[in-house]
Amino acid sequence: MKLHHILLGSMITLSLLSGGAVAADDKAAKQAEIRQVTQAALAKFYAAQPDLKAKVEKAPGYAVFTTYGLSFLVGGAGGKGLAHNNRSGKDTYMSMAQASAGAEIGLAESETLIIFASAKSLDWFVSKGWEGGGGGGMQAGASGKSAGVAGGGGPGSAYYTLTKNGLQAGVAVRGTKFWQDQDLN
């Protein structure tokens, strides 16, 4: 009977330890996926607007997000991305959510690039998150081609969007929130 308890205890311990290893592997895999998606998104931004490459390289840092959204009068979007500090080389994994209300209709997958003009604005974005509002417009895209235009970002930043797939049209009031992903940092 005691051998049975020892074996059962050993199996439980091993399963808990291997579960921790799987969680660490899963975290590393998610981080690698976000880095890969970020590099692919940057390549698309550079192809669409070649001068962005020099702006990104000169900037103290940048952030890239891939978002998925749906809107019909009321809408929402969410996504993941990272903020990269060009000086230290550090990546901070982040999440984003957006809500909208207004005369807008659409379904889209988009990529967002934020280029920070100062180290202070990058640090503020990473440490405090960022909330922003916006107006509306029209974006259409397929296979990484976009009809959207660059817009204003938060304090000390420039904000660009590419619509990968989908269509969004109308005017809406939007609120966007960015924050550190606690599970990936």
Side-chain angles (χ1 to χ4, degrees), residues 109-123:
E109 178 181 354
S110 301
E111 292 170 327
T112 300
L113 168 64
I114 304 168
I115 302 172
F116 298 98
S118 70
K120 184 177 179 179
S121 63
L122 171 63
D123 291 343

Side-chain angles (χ1 to χ4, degrees), residues 87-113:
R87 300 216 166 79
S88 70
K90 181 182 179 195
D91 290 330
T92 302
Y93 298 89
M94 301 189 73
S95 296
M96 145 311 149
Q98 183 180 70
S100 64
E104 182 176 61
I105 186 167
L107 174 66
E109 178 181 354
S110 301
E111 292 170 327
T112 300
L113 168 64

Side-chain angles (χ1 to χ4, degrees), residues 35-162:
R35 285 191 307 272
Q36 181 180 10
V37 168
T38 295
Q39 292 308 309
L42 284 171
K44 291 174 193 172
F45 277 106
Y46 299 159
Q49 197 171 339
D51 67 318
L52 286 178
K53 186 172 185 172
K55 290 179 182 178
V56 166
E57 289 172 352
K58 283 196 258 181
Y62 61 88
V64 177
F65 292 86
T66 298
T67 60
Y68 304 90
L70 172 68
S71 61
F72 183 77
L73 302 179
V74 175
K80 297 261 183 207
L82 64 82
H84 179 78
N85 185 317
N86 281 339
R87 300 216 166 79
S88 70
K90 181 182 179 195
D91 290 330
T92 302
Y93 298 89
M94 301 189 73
S95 296
M96 145 311 149
Q98 183 180 70
S100 64
E104 182 176 61
I105 186 167
L107 174 66
E109 178 181 354
S110 301
E111 292 170 327
T112 300
L113 168 64
I114 304 168
I115 302 172
F116 298 98
S118 70
K120 184 177 179 179
S121 63
L122 171 63
D123 291 343
W124 186 79
F125 179 85
V126 168
S127 65
K128 304 273 190 228
W130 184 43
E131 294 180 42
M138 181 170 173
Q139 287 195 313
S143 302
K145 298 188 174 18
S146 177
V149 291
S157 65
Y159 190 97
Y160 303 87
T161 301
L162 283 176

